[in-house]
Each structure stands twice: as structure tokens, then as C-alpha cells.
Amino acid sequence: MISENEASPSQTQLLDQVIADLETGRQEALTQTLLATHPAEVASLLESLPPEQRSDLWEAVPAAQESEVLSFLRDEARTTIVDEMDPGELVAAAGSMSPEDLAEFIDELPEDLTSSLLLALDTDHRKRLDSVLNYEEGSAGRLMSTDVISVRKDVTIAVVLRWLRRHESLPPHTDSLMVIDDEGEGLYLGKLDVADVLTSNPTTLVEAVMQPEAVTVRADLSEHDVATLFERRDLISVAVLDASGKLLGRITIDDIVDVIREESDRTLLRSAGLNEEEDMFAPVLPSARRRGLWLGINLVTVFAAAWVIGRFEQALDQIVALAVLMPIVASMGGIAGSQTLTLTIRGLALNQIASANVRWLTIKELLVGAVNGVVWALVVSLVTYLWFGEPGIALIIGAAMVLNLLAAALSGIAIPLLLNRWGVDPALSGAVILTTVTDVIGFLSFLGLATLFLI
């Protein structure tokens, strides 16, 4: 077992070690490694293994760790493990989860197991779970923890300290206590920083040192907006209230880090047409089926570009240089468009784009496209002239490049904005549409101008 004063191995070293133990059957060494590893890292190890080795490693996970490991696993990887667990093991593991983790986990269970699990929970745990399940997935209500310590404003700091000492432990990431009214209705009045509890005079009333204007969020606010709020205000925790101002729970920074990571992964995967819960080690056929859809969509767009090229078959037969040069125009447009597309999607994600600033942003990107178009058109025209010695072709490819970079800039702004307005995630299909536009316009402008002026 790794002692506290020894350096921990990196995740890749740990993965190599675990795979070696699995392949050689060193069960005792494997058990010791898992006992010394944080549940989040165990979850990462499970996600990094093929199905057979994943099952073997899960069998070696200590029963006391199972609930925490399950809560850290991504949906698809967790489903493969849950399918192999017996009902009693599932109920035992789920019963140890916090309400917010259990709310996410319980949706994946069969109906009969869900009923058994709910019956196995104690009354308080079931009540807290019900309060979380009442809110939509992806909302602050689903994200919040109901494990909150609250105090009244009319008590002294000494009373608060005595109240805290009665607890065996405080909820994780407790940087402040929630101040509620003394009428028994649980209305939120503000927060009391733990630092103020420790440094204030014991006879001081909570009301004198609390922060009545502390930031709060509504339970129906999206988790994306909550993450943005944490980022902009440098928050560690925030109170969650209902429409009447009643305290429901709190959200802490560790929950927000998970949201930010998931959003980052989602954007990266969707840009390639993949599901955000894509399991890298999923079986071949399900993976091929999911990816095949977007390959088919891409094939349609490629045929559209090929059709445009086919319209200029005569020009290509007469001037071979056109066939050699036309990928340059399309490629430069695609790169320029993807730059604008990425910035626009990022702006939408950060809520930086509104109807009032779209016009300014569009003009700015068109000017950027024009500047880059002219600069690189001159470079490409010069290289083309030195290569083929044809001034007409050099001028035409320069003009086509300027046109395509302008179209790319406009498309990079318009496509994500339109998709977002229609309720489609721009990261999922924006790149495919953009590539089609820049290819078609690039080929059309280059071959069209060549046909018009050279043939």
C-alpha cells in the first residue's frame, strides 16, 4: 500500500500497474492498490479498460468503495457495470450515495430495482431524494446538496460555535453557514462565513456579521448558468432558493468543476459528432453504429461538393492546373471558417453574444476575413505564377480565395447563431455545415471564375 509520505504514481503509471496485475492474476496487489486509490481515480481506471478487464477490476473493488466509484463514473461506463451487478449489491451501493448522486443514478435502474431501492432507504434519505428528483435534469435543483447547516440571525456567535461542535463533521466544502428566519419557514436571509465565526467576538449577534446580499440562485436555473456565475464571481458555494425565497440547499465548487469538465468534454466530442458519454472502450458494433450516422451525413456533403466540381468538367479538362490548385481555396476557407465558428460557439457558451452585438461581431469577422484573404491571396497568387507561369490563373485563384474567406467568416457567424436559434447544438453539426459551405463556395468561385475568364 502507498503510504501518505510516498509520491503517488501518475494515472498512466497506475493504469499500467493495474493492467499488469489483472493480466498476471495478482489479486492481493490489486486489492491493495485499490484501497490506496481515491474512488474518482478508480472510476477513471475502470473507464480506461476494455469490457473484460473492466469487469475483473470491478470485482476487485472493495464493497465500501462501490457507491463512491459508481457516482464518479460516466453514464455509459456505469451502465456496463450496473448490468453485471446483482440486485442486492445495487441496492446496497445506491443506498450509500448522496441524494444528488443517487438522483442521477436511479434513472438508469430498471423499474423493479428502483422500487426496491426506494423501499430500502430510510425516511430522511428518501425525502431528500424526492426533493432533488422534483427538479429537471441539468438544473440547479438537481445539482444542489440538501446537506446544509443553517443558523438564525438573532443568536450569538458563541451559540453558533456550540451548535457546530455538536456535529461530528461538517458537510464537505463548508465555507459558510446559511442564515434563515426565526419564524420556522426557512426563508433565506444571507450567509455567515466560517471565517467570521472563528474571528468574531463570541457575544456578537449573527445579524451583525452576516452577509445579507450574498449571491443566491433559483432552483430552476440551468447548471450552465450556475457554472458561469461561479466563474465570474469566484464563488466557493452558493445557496439555492425556491420562488418564495425558501432555502432548499447549496451548490459547492466541486460540483461546478464537474459541470465545467462535462461541458468541455461535450463540446469536444460533439464537434466530431460523438455522444458526450461515448465510452472509449465500448464494444465495436455500438461504437460503429453511433459514428456511422455522422459519416453518412458527411458523405452527403462531400457529394454536394463533388457535384459542383462536376459542373466544371470542361474547364478542368482544358486547364489541368485548376485541378491541382482548387483544394487550396477550399482548405483555406475551411480553416478560416472554423476559427470564426469556434469563437462564436465559445461566445454562445459564455453568454457573450446577444442580438445587440451580433452586427458588430459580423462586421469585425468580415474585416478579418478580408484582411487575411487579401494577404494570403497575394502569397498564393505569387506562388501560382512562379509555379505555372500563368498570370490569369494567379489572379483568379487570388480572387477566389478572397471571396471564400469572406464567405467563411460570414458562415462562421451565421451557422452557429441559426442553429442555436433553432434549438440545435452548434457544436454538434456546425462544423459539418461549415465545411460544406466553404468547399462549395471555394470550388464554385475558383472554377466559375476560371470558366468565365479563361475558357
Side-chain angles (χ1 to χ4, degrees):
M1 184 182 294
I2 300 171
S3 63
E4 291 184 4
N5 59 349
E6 291 178 337
S8 299
S10 69
Q11 188 68 14
T12 52
Q13 291 173 329
L14 192 59
L15 180 60
D16 287 338
Q17 178 185 335
V18 165
I19 291 175
D21 289 343
L22 286 170
E23 290 177 344
T24 56
R26 295 197 293 264
Q27 288 298 120
E28 185 176 345
L30 187 61
T31 301
Q32 293 299 315
T33 298
L34 293 176
L35 286 171
T37 305
H38 191 277
E41 294 170 347
V42 175
S44 179
L45 290 171
L46 287 164
E47 291 173 352
S48 305
L49 294 172
E52 299 80 10
Q53 290 185 325
R54 181 180 291 171
S55 298
D56 293 340
L57 181 60
W58 177 251
E59 289 181 7
V61 173
Q65 275 190 332
E66 286 184 351
S67 62
E68 284 192 271
V69 173
L70 284 171
S71 69
F72 282 111
L73 283 169
R74 297 173 189 267
D75 291 351
E76 189 164 334
R78 182 165 55 202
T79 299
T80 62
I81 290 175
V82 167
D83 288 342
E84 299 179 3
M85 296 174 69
D86 62 69
E89 187 183 8
L90 268 175
V91 170
S96 302
M97 291 182 179
S98 64
E100 57 271 21
D101 289 333
L102 185 53
E104 181 182 353
F105 177 71
I106 204 169
D107 291 336
E108 304 166 19
L109 299 179
E111 236 178 83
D112 55 337
L113 276 180
T114 300
S115 302
S116 302
L117 172 59
L118 291 175
L119 290 173
L121 296 176
D122 60 61
T123 304
D124 182 59
H125 201 171
R126 186 162 58 246
K127 184 177 179 181
R128 291 166 63 193
L129 173 63
D130 288 340
S131 69
V132 174
L133 288 173
N134 282 332
Y135 302 100
E136 291 185 10
E137 190 172 353
S139 67
R142 274 292 185 101
L143 193 62
M144 72 179 181
S145 169
T146 56
D147 194 5
V148 178
I149 294 181
S150 57
V151 296
R152 300 197 314 270
K153 68 175 183 177
D154 58 349
V155 299
T156 64
I157 295 298
V159 171
V160 173
L161 286 169
R162 286 199 299 270
W163 167 242
L164 291 177
R165 291 190 186 105
R166 292 177 59 184
H167 294 76
E168 293 183 4
S169 62
L170 298 180
H173 305 286
T174 299
D175 65 313
S176 60
L177 313 177
M178 304 304 172
V179 184
I180 59 175
D181 69 322
D182 53 5
E183 304 298 327
E185 296 182 6
L187 293 177
Y188 178 83
L189 301 178
K191 74 174 185 177
L192 175 64
D193 285 341
V194 171
D196 290 331
V197 174
L198 297 175
T199 58
S200 297
N201 190 307
T203 61
T204 304
L205 289 176
V206 167
E207 185 176 16
V209 291
M210 63 180 270
Q211 300 176 31
E213 303 298 327
V215 178
T216 62
V217 298
R218 287 274 298 273
D220 56 359
L221 190 67
S222 73
E223 60 181 25
H224 169 76
D225 290 336
V226 176
T228 302
L229 185 65
F230 266 76
E231 180 187 6
R232 290 178 178 172
R233 303 290 185 90
D234 291 329
L235 301 175
I236 297 176
S237 67
V238 68
V240 181
L241 314 180
D242 66 9
S244 64
K246 182 179 179 181
L247 177 65
L248 300 174
R250 68 185 182 119
I251 297 173
T252 54
I253 187 63
D254 60 318
D255 301 314
I256 296 304
V257 169
D258 292 339
V259 171
I260 293 172
R261 186 200 67 179
E262 289 168 5
E263 288 191 346
S264 175
D265 289 349
R266 185 182 302 124
T267 300
L268 176 65
L269 291 171
R270 286 192 172 186
S271 66
L274 299 175
N275 184 281
E276 59 265 29
E277 292 296 340
E278 178 83 12
D279 183 0
M280 183 178 292
F281 295 94
V284 172
L285 289 179
S287 296
R289 185 169 58 250
R290 279 190 293 263
R291 301 183 197 184
L293 172 64
W294 284 96
L295 289 174
I297 293 172
N298 184 68
L299 184 61
V300 172
T301 65
V302 170
F303 272 119
W307 180 84
V308 172
I309 296 172
R311 299 300 89 195
F312 300 97
E313 185 176 352
Q314 183 182 358
L316 291 169
D317 286 341
Q318 293 185 29
I319 306 176
V320 178
L322 298 179
V324 176
L325 296 170
M326 66 181 185
I328 297 174
V329 180
S331 176
M332 291 293 284
I335 294 297
S338 66
Q339 291 172 340
T340 304
L341 180 79
T342 301
L343 286 174
T344 306
I345 292 174
R346 177 178 179 271
L348 289 171
L350 296 176
N351 297 318
Q352 293 177 336
I353 298 179
S355 56
N357 61 12
V358 167
R359 183 172 179 272
W360 187 94
L361 187 61
T362 303
I363 293 173
K364 176 247 184 180
E365 289 300 323
L366 284 172
L367 290 174
V368 171
V371 170
N372 278 328
V374 169
V375 170
W376 292 107
L378 290 172
V379 173
V380 172
S381 295
L382 178 60
V383 172
T384 300
Y385 177 73
L386 294 175
W387 188 356
F388 294 100
E390 294 284 347
I393 295 178
L395 290 172
I396 283 170
I397 194 172
M401 185 166 293
V402 173
L403 290 174
N404 202 24
L405 262 66
L406 287 172
L410 185 60
S411 301
I413 289 282
I415 289 171
L417 291 178
L418 289 173
L419 290 175
N420 188 60
R421 179 176 295 181
W422 295 335
V424 179
D425 187 350
L428 183 60
S429 52
V432 175
I433 299 173
L434 175 73
T435 302
T436 303
V437 171
T438 54
D439 282 354
V440 169
I441 292 180
F443 296 144
L444 187 61
S445 59
F446 182 49
L447 298 177
L449 289 172
T451 301
L452 189 61
F453 292 105
L454 300 180
I455 297 176

